[in-house]
């Protein structure tokens, strides 16, 4: 029996080293008690210093935590022992690999994490592949995500699975391929199969709310999808379902400002929705410094041809709003409130009727000069305007992508098209919902 004080001393920086050395010297005599301490959610000692001791003990420490994974009876215990088990290091890599075939799903999942934490997921990719077809979906997802993080050198292994099976591994192998290399990583057969699936789904596809963490869109009256794309310079349109178009836009928005891609490479051009065609994607941003002037120019050109054109930004996590309205070649209004110091520099034109109405409801002057208004008054307006973009669109009778439903009248087929950024730099890899 290990002296309980030794384990408690692991939680004291001044006593940790001596206690750890003593526990390592005891070896197998203390591993069961150390494992129980890891599993104890009420323990005053963090699981990390205990894990460090078990790592030094080696195989016996591995076995004790494996047994803990099997026997843990609460979610908190499973979480604590799982973290510890996956942090035992390179010395037990062979044990992790063997545990990939363990009958308990939690052990398999944590073994995958252990291999990844060793930094050996790439070398162990062949051993991880069978878990892509694991009957436990959490295990299969863990293997999938780990293989994605290993890098492109696993692509040949995944292609072989796609070509030869086993069948149960093939679906997730396709997901990993798409995430790692995008369409160039797929075989012609896989690309054709995906395009065929889209064609099969399109006849029954219905509009759905188009929602992302950061929402950017243009709105143009009518259904001249091809003409709108020509005016905007969008090329290589490919038919997509609403789910696929929205998923791509959302993923691109999250991928902005990476070394390889800006998030401006693609746009989703909807079919005509209740009398309007929408163009969605970060490339449509009327507010950000990178795109604001080009979006203003494009909306002006669209309004010459179609009578009017609008662009919006709405942060779905409380990140602000911006709107741009052009009619017959003239910018009627551009305004934004995002909490940034340069918001005032964005303002063009006079307040829209809905802006005036909302200010009147707040007890503020309907027409205003921020430099002349009281700071408290303007702060109230800024917070109100922060969420106003969807309401501005509704007030103008514009189809709002956030309000689209399956009952929204729809004519035509949506497409994903390349922007000039996408033509110049290509598009990011990714796996998306169809």
């Amino acid at each position: 029996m290990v002296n309980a004080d030794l384990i408690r001393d692991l939680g004291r920086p001044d006593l940790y080293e001596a206690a750890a050395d003593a526990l390592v010297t005891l070896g197998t005599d203390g591993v069961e008690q150390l494992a129980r301490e890891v599993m104890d959610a009420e323990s005053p000692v963090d699981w990390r210093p205990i894990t460090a001791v078990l790592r030094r003990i080696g195989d016996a420490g591995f076995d004790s935590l494996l047994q803990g994974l099997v026997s843990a009876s609460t979610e908190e215990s499973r979480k604590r022992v799982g973290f510890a088990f996956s942090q035992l290091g390179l010395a037990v890599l062979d044990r992790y690999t063997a545990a990939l075939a363990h009958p308990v799903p939690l052990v398999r999942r944590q073994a995958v994490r252990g291999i990844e934490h060793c930094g050996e997921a790439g070398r162990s990719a062949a051993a991880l592949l069978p878990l892509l077809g694991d009957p436990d979906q959490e295990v299969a997802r863990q293997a999938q995500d780990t293989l994605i993080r290993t890098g492109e050198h696993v692509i040949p292994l995944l292609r072989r699975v796609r070509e030869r099976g086993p069948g149960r591994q093939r679906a997730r192998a396709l997901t990993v391929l798409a995430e790692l290399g995008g369409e160039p990583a797929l075989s012609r057969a896989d690309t054709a199969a995906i395009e065929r699936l889209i064609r099969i789904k399109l006849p029954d596809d219905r509009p759905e709310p188009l929602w992302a963490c950061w929402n950017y869109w243009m709105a143009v009256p009518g259904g001249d999808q091809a003409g709108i794309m020509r005016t905007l310079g969008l090329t290589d349109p490919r038919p997509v379902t609403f789910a696929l178009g929205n998923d791509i836009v959302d993923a691109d928005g999250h991928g902005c400002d990476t070394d390889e891609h800006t998030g401006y490479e693609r746009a989703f051009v909807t079919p005509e929705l209740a009398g309007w065609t929408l163009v969605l994607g970060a490339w449509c941003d009327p507010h950000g410094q990178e795109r604001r002037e080009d979006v203003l120019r494009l909306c002006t050109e669209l309004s010459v041809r179609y009578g009017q054109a609008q662009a919006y930004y709405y942060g779905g996590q409380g990140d602000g709003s911006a709107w741009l309205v052009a009619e017959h070649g003239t910018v009627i209004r551009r305004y934004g409130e995002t909490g940034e110091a340069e918001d005032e520099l964005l303002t063009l034109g006079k307040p829209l009727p809905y802006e005036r109405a909302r200010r009147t409801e707040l007890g503020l002057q309907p027409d205003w000069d921020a430099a002349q208004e009281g700071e408290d008054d303007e702060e109230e307006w800024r917070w109100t305007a922060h969420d106003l973009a969807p309401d501005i669109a509704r007030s103008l009778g514009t189809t709002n992508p956030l309000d689209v439903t399956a009952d929204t009248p729809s004519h035509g087929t949506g497409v994903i098209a390349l922007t000039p950024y996408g033509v110049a730099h290509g598009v990011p890899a990714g796996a998306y919902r169809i």
Side-chain angles (χ1 to χ4, degrees), residues 74-304:
T74 69
E75 182 61 30
E76 183 62 26
S77 293
R78 286 189 287 271
K79 181 178 179 180
R80 286 170 61 92
V81 74
F83 281 143
F85 179 80
S86 67
Q87 299 287 337
L88 292 175
L90 194 59
V92 294
L93 177 61
D94 289 345
R95 304 293 305 278
Y96 281 138
T97 303
L100 295 175
H102 196 279
V104 175
L106 181 59
V107 174
R108 299 197 297 275
R109 179 155 54 93
Q110 295 300 341
V112 175
R113 296 181 70 229
I115 290 171
E116 183 172 8
H117 288 151
C118 288
E120 294 295 314
R123 295 185 185 181
S124 302
L128 295 173
L129 285 176
L131 272 66
L132 292 176
D134 197 279
D136 185 277
Q137 292 304 300
E138 290 189 31
V139 175
R141 182 58 183 264
Q142 186 70 53
Q144 170 188 300
D145 293 347
T146 298
L147 285 167
I148 289 170
R149 290 189 286 267
T150 62
E152 295 182 0
H153 60 276
V154 302
I155 286 178
L157 291 174
L158 296 161
R159 283 175 171 162
R160 191 151 51 243
V161 170
R162 290 295 301 168
E163 293 170 3
R164 305 176 187 175
R168 63 182 179 277
Q169 299 172 23
R170 296 184 77 247
R172 287 189 182 273
L174 181 62
T175 297
V176 179
L177 279 170
E179 288 285 2
L180 287 174
E183 188 172 333
L186 306 183
S187 68
R188 289 183 180 179
D190 280 340
T191 301
I194 292 169
E195 292 174 344
R196 184 167 60 251
L197 177 60
I198 292 171
R199 288 197 301 270
I200 291 171
K201 285 182 171 288
L202 279 174
D204 296 321
D205 193 44
R206 298 300 305 153
E208 61 181 55
L210 303 171
W211 174 267
C213 292
W214 299 279
N215 301 276
Y216 313 89
W217 72 94
M218 296 181 186
V220 185
D224 185 14
Q225 187 186 69
I228 291 167
M229 287 193 291
R230 281 195 299 272
T231 302
L232 294 175
L234 301 176
T235 58
D236 193 25
R238 305 178 75 172
V240 292
T241 61
F242 278 92
L244 178 54
N246 196 48
D247 215 25
I248 289 173
V249 164
D250 190 25
D252 285 357
H254 282 86
C256 287
D257 298 324
T258 64
D259 292 339
E260 296 182 24
H261 299 289
T262 62
Y264 303 137
E265 289 82 8
R266 294 178 284 195
F268 175 32
V269 188
T270 71
E272 183 179 352
L273 296 172
W276 292 79
T277 298
L278 307 180
V279 185
L280 297 98
W283 184 76
C284 303
D285 182 11
H287 179 270
Q289 188 171 358
E290 174 71 21
R291 293 292 305 147
R292 64 173 62 160
E293 295 309 316
D294 196 36
V295 170
L296 184 146
R297 175 184 63 82
L298 291 169
C299 280
T300 302
E301 293 176 3
L302 286 167
S303 73
V304 170

